Amino acid sequence: MLLRHVVIWFLPFMFLKFGISLAYADFRACNITQKVVGVAIGYRTVSNWTSEGWWQIKPMSCKTLIKGPLLSRFYYFYAEDSNGASRWDGVVNMCVSDSEFKINGVKNCFARGFQKFGFREIDTENQISWMVRLKEPDSSSFSSNNPIFTGTAEP
């Protein structure tokens, strides 16, 4: 009984002293560039496709796009920097809007008053948590229109 009380009081101090953090399940995007980046995400729901955005992510910071354990294996991602010089895109078309949006469906974007952008497919490998890192292009091997994009399961 005494050991149980010691453990209950001791664990919070261990988290603080050694920087141990509890892992949260979610989908996060991190901007490792020197510019503000606008981000949109797409995913399949039980009944339809959904796209939503824009999250504005400041340089060298992260934002959570989906809170809680991921329910799908595949997500779709689009981002561009504040001056439009760099884009992280793909070939899967989804609807977007100029301002903050949450759009159901991917068909008839223009007829419904939206734009259509190509999103990049992300295979989360059925992980419950995922992080996308948006990086500046390497000037020796990439053009500014082909920035680096990496995604990893979060611990």
Side-chain angles (χ1 to χ4, degrees):
M1 188 71 155
L2 178 62
L3 180 60
R4 182 174 165 207
H5 288 298
V6 169
V7 169
I8 289 172
W9 289 102
F10 183 70
L11 282 177
F13 294 110
M14 291 297 292
F15 285 109
L16 291 173
K17 180 171 174 81
F18 296 107
I20 299 170
S21 64
L22 299 173
Y24 293 100
D26 51 23
F27 190 109
R28 295 176 357 118
C30 294
N31 177 10
I32 316 297
T33 74
Q34 297 302 314
K35 298 177 184 160
V36 173
V37 173
V39 174
I41 191 165
Y43 50 90
R44 181 88 171 137
T45 64
V46 173
S47 61
N48 209 345
W49 288 97
T50 299
S51 57
E52 59 181 302
W54 296 104
W55 287 271
Q56 299 299 312
I57 306 176
K58 294 178 183 175
M60 308 311 249
S61 65
C62 300
K63 287 251 174 133
T64 298
L65 309 184
I66 297 175
K67 293 181 186 208
L70 302 181
L71 303 176
S72 297
R73 178 175 178 171
F74 296 98
Y75 288 85
Y76 301 86
F77 188 86
Y78 178 89
E80 63 182 41
D81 67 19
S82 54
N83 64 6
S86 295
R87 258 187 221 112
W88 295 264
D89 58 1
V91 298
V92 178
N93 290 322
M94 296 196 152
C95 302
V96 299
S97 180
D98 286 336
S99 56
E100 186 176 322
F101 66 91
K102 185 170 185 177
I103 302 169
N104 290 318
V106 294
K107 295 184 178 178
N108 304 316
C109 296
F110 300 120
R112 296 189 295 150
F114 302 120
Q115 300 171 52
K116 182 168 46 173
F117 285 4
F119 283 57
R120 183 178 295 198
E121 183 177 82
I122 297 172
D123 182 353
T124 66
E125 303 165 0
N126 288 320
Q127 300 293 319
I128 62 167
S129 189
W130 198 261
M131 179 192 298
V132 171
R133 290 175 186 86
L134 303 168
K135 300 179 183 178
E136 298 277 2
D138 177 355
S139 60
S140 65
S141 60
F142 291 96
S143 73
S144 64
N145 291 329
N146 191 12
I148 300 169
F149 172 97
T150 61
T152 58
E154 290 209 284

